[in-house]
Amino acid sequence: MLGKADLHTHTIASDGAYTPEELLEKAFEKKLKIISITDHDTIKGYLKGKEKAKELGIELIPGVEVTAVWNKREVHILTYCFDEDDQEFRRMLLNQKKSRVKRMERIVKKLQSKGLDITMDEVRAEAGPGNIGRPHAASVLINKGYVASVAEAFIRYLSTDKLGHIKTMYVSVEELVKIAKKAGGVLSLAHPGPLYTQSEIDELMALGLDGLECIHPSHNFNLQRSFSKIAERDNLLITGGSDFHGKGKKDYDPYFGIVTVGDQHVMSLKRMARRRRELTRMNN
Ligand code: AMP
Ligand code: ZN
Ligand code: FE
Ligand code: FE
């Protein structure tokens, strides 16, 4: 037995509060044996965490939470076990990083047009070296006293409902599936719970996703069970994790070390990734 796994966490490489090293220390304290650092559209946190993970005896699964476009919506897709040196995959992530900046420029303009005093430089400063995202804009709004919390910032200004459609250059789900699989990656639809109808999930899966994130703090017991049943019925991988950020999504943070996935699911994930790599090798 390998032990408990958390396949969904964030660091300062995106919108998390902790460095990869700090996150892994915390994982160690929580007795987690397997971790995936799944920052938004970057693997910098994962790469930085490797050494620390080795030192602590934690298995670090290559991971990233990619924002992809589907039907004019932004869909979060967890991608695991990819070849981190795959050039096309790296290029895709670089594009995602640029798309984030462009999108944030549009978001800032929209907020300014609503009369808010906020600049791109201020949001950049909040993001620091990490991939920029709405939680960083939320921090600016908090600092300026417009809102009292990240949750309020989303409710009042930053939700898709409030922002309206923001045009982005994010990768499409179809394109992501192609690039990730070529890099040997395995894909799982992140936190489907509150976001999609059953037929939407079926449509997304038909695009070539391998698994469903059945276990997530936003899923109550019934949702977790119904997603797991779908996964079993359709031969999909079951993935899960706490979506720990250490800030921002504070409502999820208490679940770090608690919302976990059993190692049998990690074994299945790794088995699928292994097979995919063998296939890629055979085709080349
Ligand atoms: P972005 O990467 O710019 O699309 O922002 C998405 C991130 O914002 C999510 O991964 C969460 O960390 C955070 N977020 C989204 N919705 C909310 C919310 N209602 N309250 C707090 N944080 C949120
Ligand atoms: Zn996030
Ligand atoms: Fe997400
Ligand atoms: Fe996440």
Side-chain angles (χ1 to χ4, degrees):
M1 281 303 268
L2 289 164
K4 289 198 294 186
D6 187 338
L7 298 178
H8 193 158
T9 66
H10 295 267
T11 73
I12 56 166
S14 63
D15 52 2
Y18 297 108
T19 64
E21 291 86 353
E22 288 164 345
L23 176 86
L24 287 160
E25 291 275 7
K26 284 180 188 295
F28 184 79
E29 283 163 24
K30 300 274 184 192
K31 303 199 170 18
L32 290 164
K33 297 286 187 274
I34 308 169
I35 288 285
S36 189
I37 293 177
T38 51
D39 277 307
H40 298 285
D41 300 304
T42 178
I43 60 170
K44 284 194 183 139
Y46 154 67
L47 294 175
K48 272 206 78 191
K50 277 191 190 185
E51 218 179 282
K52 188 74 183 176
K54 204 182 260 176
E55 193 187 308
L56 294 170
I58 291 175
E59 182 177 357
L60 191 62
I61 306 277
V64 59
E65 183 173 15
V66 179
T67 316
V69 176
W70 176 72
N71 280 351
K72 292 199 167 175
R73 282 167 74 178
E74 288 175 16
V75 176
H76 286 185
I77 297 179
L78 295 157
T79 305
Y80 298 109
C81 300
F82 42 80
D83 169 7
E84 61 203 46
D85 295 320
D86 185 276
Q87 286 309 305
E88 212 183 338
F89 193 70
R90 295 287 275 248
R91 214 163 26 239
M92 182 272 296
L93 291 178
L94 207 60
N95 259 319
Q96 293 287 101
K97 182 185 179 70
K98 288 181 195 155
S99 307
R100 286 187 159 271
V101 174
K102 280 255 167 287
R103 168 173 170 270
M104 187 54 70
E105 283 168 357
R106 291 183 170 135
I107 290 174
V108 166
K109 267 203 188 122
K110 204 145 212 175
L111 297 176
Q112 286 170 344
S113 75
K114 290 183 178 172
L116 296 180
D117 169 30
I118 180 171
T119 66
M120 191 61 193
D121 280 347
E122 289 164 345
V123 185
R124 273 185 200 275
E126 285 297 330
N131 262 8
I132 206 162
R134 284 174 289 170
H136 304 118
S139 297
V140 177
L141 297 178
I142 293 169
N143 295 344
K144 299 216 165 174
Y146 288 118
V147 292
S149 65
V150 176
E152 192 189 346
F154 271 87
I155 290 167
R156 290 176 62 141
Y157 300 110
L158 297 171
S159 67
T160 26
D161 274 0
K162 284 288 145 84
L163 285 172
H165 180 62
I166 303 274
K167 201 169 164 304
T168 68
M169 308 173 334
Y170 284 141
V171 66
S172 68
V173 173
E174 291 89 335
E175 192 68 14
L176 170 67
V177 167
K178 213 169 74 191
I179 295 170
K181 285 190 176 175
K182 247 175 99 184
V186 171
L187 305 105
S188 180
L189 181 63
H191 42 65
L195 298 173
Y196 315 104
T197 64
Q198 179 57 53
S199 70
E200 286 173 334
I201 290 179
D202 290 342
E203 268 182 69
L204 276 162
M205 288 301 148
L207 296 176
L209 303 190
D210 305 296
L212 261 186
E213 190 180 45
C214 301
I215 301 157
H216 186 270
S218 66
H219 297 169
N220 61 24
F221 184 71
N222 282 336
L223 268 184
Q224 180 176 315
R225 199 172 49 183
S226 64
F227 283 128
S228 300
K229 274 195 180 142
I230 293 170
E232 275 157 26
R233 184 197 68 195
D234 296 347
N235 266 323
L236 298 166
L237 295 170
I238 291 174
T239 71
S242 65
D243 210 351
F244 180 71
H245 282 70
K247 69 165 181 194
K249 291 220 82 135
K250 279 212 174 61
D251 45 338
Y252 292 172
D253 289 352
Y255 295 110
F256 187 55
I258 295 185
V259 173
T260 58
V261 64
D263 54 14
Q264 74 274 24
H265 299 301
V266 183
M267 304 281 245
S268 303
L269 176 81
K270 286 165 68 178
R271 204 175 309 125
M272 179 175 283
R274 237 181 349 257
R275 252 186 256 133
R276 191 153 290 164
R277 288 241 187 155
E278 277 158 19
L279 273 179
T280 318
R281 221 173 292 136
M282 270 162 52
N283 290 334
N284 284 338

